[in-house]
Structures are given as C-alpha cells and as structure tokens.
C-alpha cells in the first residue's frame, strides 16, 4: 500500500485490497428483541474482513436473517457481496471512498451490503494512517450521549419495570417500540410513571395514514419524536401526517440516500432524521446526510441495528459529528450480548455517554476465537 495522501476530504492512501473474507455469524441476544415486524432472539449478520498490505480492516453488514426491517437479508447481502461488490473491489487501485463506491455503481440498491464492505475499507484506511475513524469522518469529543431502544413488552407493567431498570443503569433517553394495540396506552403508562424522561417511540412502519388518530393521540405525551409510523418506503403520507401533529416525525426506514433525505425535508415529511450508515449505503453517505441536515438546522441522531462491537465502534465515531444533537440508539455491549466478538466492551458512563474509540480505524480488536465460534458460514475471496 502506497501512503500517497490526496487532497480529498478523507485523505486516503492509494490502496489495493488483496483478499476479503466473509463470516455469517449468529450471536444470542441477552433477551429477545420484539418490534412491530417480529422477534429476534439471535442476531445474525455478516462480518467482513478486508486485507491489504498486511493490515486487516473489519466491517459489519447488519442485514438480518429475515427481510422484516428492509428487503435485504444475510443471504441476499452475501450474494451481492460475493458475486458483485467483492469482484469489483479486489485488486482494484483506489485512493478514496468515493472512487471505490464508483466501482460499485453497477449495483442498484443493497445499501446494507455496500455499507458493510465500505466500513471495512474505512477501518483499513484508519489503520494504515494511524487515525481513528472519528477523525477521518470529522467527529469531535471523547464521548457521545446515548439512549436505549426497548422492545415491545408483554404488558404495560412489564414495560415500565424494564424502563425503570434501564434508567437505574443510567440511560438518559428511552425509546419504546410500538405496534397497533400496544401504542397509546403503553406510551402513556411510561409517561405517567416517568414524567420527566426523554422519551420517544418507534413504530417500524406499522401504521397507515388512516391511523392518524392513533398517532395524534400520542401528541400530548411530550415525546421527543415519533419514528417511522408509516410505510417503509413512504415519504408522501408522512408529510400529510406531520402536518397533523406537533411532535416531530423522524424517518428511519424511508431514508436510503442523501437524495431521500433532501426529498423528505423539502416535502416536510419529517423534522428529524435517524441516520444509520448501513441503511444509506455507508459511512460516506451518512456523513453527507449529516452535512445536509446540519446546514438546514435539522437534528439527526444515530440509529442502531443491534450491532456487534464492530458496528458499534463505527456508530460511536459517526455519532460524534456535531450535527448528532440527539442521543443515539447506541447502548452498552451488555444490553445486547453476554459475549461480543470485539474488545473492549462498550460501557455506559455515569453521565449517560459512551466513549468514542480512540485507536486507529474502528479502534477495536476482533476476538478471533469468539468470531470463529459464532460463525455459521465462511467465504474467502482473492489471495
Ligand atoms: O428501527 O431502529 C430500529 C433494531 C433492529 C432493526 C431496527 C431498529 C432497531 C432498534 C435497535 O431500534 C437499536 C439498537 O441497536 O439498540
Ligand atoms: Mg427505527
């Protein structure tokens, strides 16, 4: 690898990736996670290792076993990586992330697959230059404010108790998942139990515009935001709904690119955007959406996909950019896993923050023994 610094935004070296490995993993969650689209008990995803010049960069493709959150699954992402993205990447010289992304322009969609490989390349660039991802992206500060995303619970009482425990751990912001039948009354019970907390709800596309009365019924609960109430691909009806409520609508599923973010803002379909690098095709695109929102004074926050320590390190670096003014769905390692594939585990500080990694690249070390143990399928490409 030639360390030829360019005058691009990201000052990347000229790089040739010689080999890429994929690991389809399955890790048991500490507790099942229920959303309006299903229950997850084991987190499946793909870990990407990209090798160049004796260095390894790690990435996480957050596609799940089922196409409940978006159309991609572990198997579709594997196919897109193995048959298209990896062949377009191996042996090719590139000097920055946009030129790499240009090599993938023949692949429409599949942002989760692209983002997983892009993350591994960012990690490589950081390790090659001895710079933390936070610095490559333009982040600042040593810690970021975080929250916890609480899955659907069997009863209002169980939900309130679950939240009481998370508040006792020190989480300064609570998000609850909602679905028809477990929405207004659940959110109201939480608000009555904890009148002052930062509280928001996430419907994961469980409603239609005809359900606007249900959404309006949550308008007086002093919620920070209502996340993705309507269709996973909708912007139009969200604009109609936002006009009917004073609580900000926040889009997650519907925003797949910087253009989608601009369209949503220009249509007034939302007042806040949840940025997940995976959902928008990678960290590079995530930074572009951050910049767009910041220029328009629109708050953003970093969403989560129950990541392992690899993806969590990436989320923390991204969430340290100045426009991320709301706490992210980035919780401590022990909220998700008893044992993680990366070290060190992320801990919640007493001020409701998590430290941003400071080592080169993602700043985490992969525990190969644990990774091998949770791997269901492995692929190796290049030499
Ligand atoms: O909609 O934000 C979501 C997890 C998986 C899929 C979608 C979502 C979520 C979460 C969990 O809310 C966030 C986290 O990683 O803690
Ligand atoms: Mg969401």
């Amino acid at each position: 690898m030639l360390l030829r610094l360019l005058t691009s935004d990201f000052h990347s070296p000229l790089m040739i990736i010689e080999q890429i490995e994929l690991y389809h993993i399955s890790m048991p969650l500490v507790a099942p996670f229920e959303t309006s689209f299903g229950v997850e008990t084991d987190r499946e995803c793909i870990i990407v290792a990209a090798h160049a010049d004796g260095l390894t960069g790690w990435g996480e493709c957050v596609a799940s076993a089922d196409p409940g959150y978006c159309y991609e699954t572990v198997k579709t992402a594997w196919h897109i990586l193995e048959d298209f993205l990896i062949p377009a990447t191996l042996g090719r010289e590139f000097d920055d992330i946009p030129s790499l992304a240009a090599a993938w322009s023949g692949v429409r969609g599949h942002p989760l697959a692209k983002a997983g490989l892009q993350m591994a390349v960012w990690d490589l660039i950081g390790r090659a230059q001895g710079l933390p991802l936070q610095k490559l992206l333009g982040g600042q500060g040593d810690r970021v404010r975080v929250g916890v995303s609480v899955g659907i619970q069997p009863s209002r009482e169980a939900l309130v108790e679950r939240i009481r425990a998370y508040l006792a751990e020190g989480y300064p912001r609570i998000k609850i998942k909602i679905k028809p039948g477990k929405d207004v009354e659940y959110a109201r019970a939480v608000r009555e139990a904890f009148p002052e907390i930062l509280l928001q709800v996430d419907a994961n596309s469980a409603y239609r515009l005809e359900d606007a009365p249900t959404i309006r019924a949550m308008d007086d609960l002093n919620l920070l935001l209502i996340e993705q109430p309507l269709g996973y691909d909708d912007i139009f009806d969200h604009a109609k709904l936002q006009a009917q409520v004073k609580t900000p609508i926040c889009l997650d599923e519907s925003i797949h690119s910087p253009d989608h973010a601009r369209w949503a803002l220009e249509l007034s379909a939302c007042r806040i955007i949840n940025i997940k690098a995976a959902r928008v095709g990678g960290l590079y695109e995530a930074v572009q959406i951050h910049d767009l929102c910041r220029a328009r004074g629109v708050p953003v926050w970093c969403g989560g996909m129950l990541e392992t320590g690899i993806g969590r390190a990436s989320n923390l670096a991204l969430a340290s950019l100045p426009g991320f003014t709301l706490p992210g769905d980035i919780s401590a390692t022990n909220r998700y896993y008893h044992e993680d594939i990366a070290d060190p585990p992320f801990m919640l500080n007493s001020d409701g923050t998590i430290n941003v990694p400071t080592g080169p690249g993602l700043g985490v070390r992969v525990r190969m023994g644990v990774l091998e143990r949770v791997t269901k399928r492995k692929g190796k490409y290049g030499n």
Side-chain angles (χ1 to χ4, degrees), residues 238-377:
H238 276 108
K240 294 189 173 182
L241 184 63
Q242 179 66 89
Q244 299 183 39
V245 287
K246 61 179 193 304
T247 308
I249 302 277
C250 168
L251 291 180
D252 173 355
E253 280 90 330
S254 297
I255 306 297
H256 299 285
S257 67
D259 277 337
H260 282 85
R262 187 171 52 79
W263 299 335
L265 296 179
E266 289 183 8
L267 275 171
S268 301
C270 63
R271 295 192 195 131
I272 296 175
I273 291 179
N274 164 333
I275 299 184
K276 291 178 182 170
R279 199 196 57 231
V280 301
L283 286 161
Y284 181 76
E285 291 75 7
V287 172
Q288 288 182 281
I289 295 178
H290 161 272
D291 294 349
L292 171 85
C293 289
R294 189 156 186 243
R296 294 180 184 218
V298 173
V300 302
W301 55 285
C302 183
M305 293 290 287
L306 311 175
E307 284 86 353
T308 74
I310 294 174
R312 194 168 319 289
S314 170
N315 286 344
L316 285 161
L318 178 64
S320 74
L321 272 72
F324 285 79
T325 54
L326 292 166
D329 273 352
I330 310 172
S331 309
T333 302
N334 69 2
R335 179 257 173 271
Y336 307 94
Y337 304 107
H338 291 298
E339 188 178 42
D340 202 347
I341 56 172
D343 255 348
F346 292 103
M347 316 287 258
L348 187 65
N349 299 317
S350 57
D351 61 352
T353 63
I354 296 183
N355 293 351
V356 180
T358 54
L362 292 171
V364 294
R365 189 186 66 85
V366 174
R367 303 165 72 191
M368 290 308 296
V370 181
L371 177 62
E372 296 285 351
R373 188 145 34 83
V374 297
T375 295
K376 296 166 57 139
R377 181 185 179 194

Side-chain angles (χ1 to χ4, degrees), residues 174-215:
I174 300 291
K175 160 168 138 182
I176 63 169
K177 294 289 189 176
I178 57 168
K179 68 176 182 182
K182 290 193 168 187
D183 41 40
V184 183
E185 294 315 314
Y186 277 60
R188 179 164 295 132
V190 175
R191 180 48 88 208
E192 281 171 4
F194 310 107
E196 304 292 338
I197 61 167
L198 299 180
L199 179 65
Q200 61 194 58
V201 298
D202 186 0
N204 287 111
S205 301
Y207 300 89
R208 298 185 50 79
L209 189 57
E210 300 86 271
D211 302 313
T214 302
I215 305 301

Side-chain angles (χ1 to χ4, degrees), residues 138-161:
Q140 58 192 41
D142 61 355
R143 45 185 65 197
V144 298
R145 243 168 109 70
V146 301
V148 61
S149 173
V150 186
I152 293 169
Q153 301 295 317
S155 67
R156 282 172 283 182
E157 294 72 24
L159 178 61
V160 166
E161 289 321 305

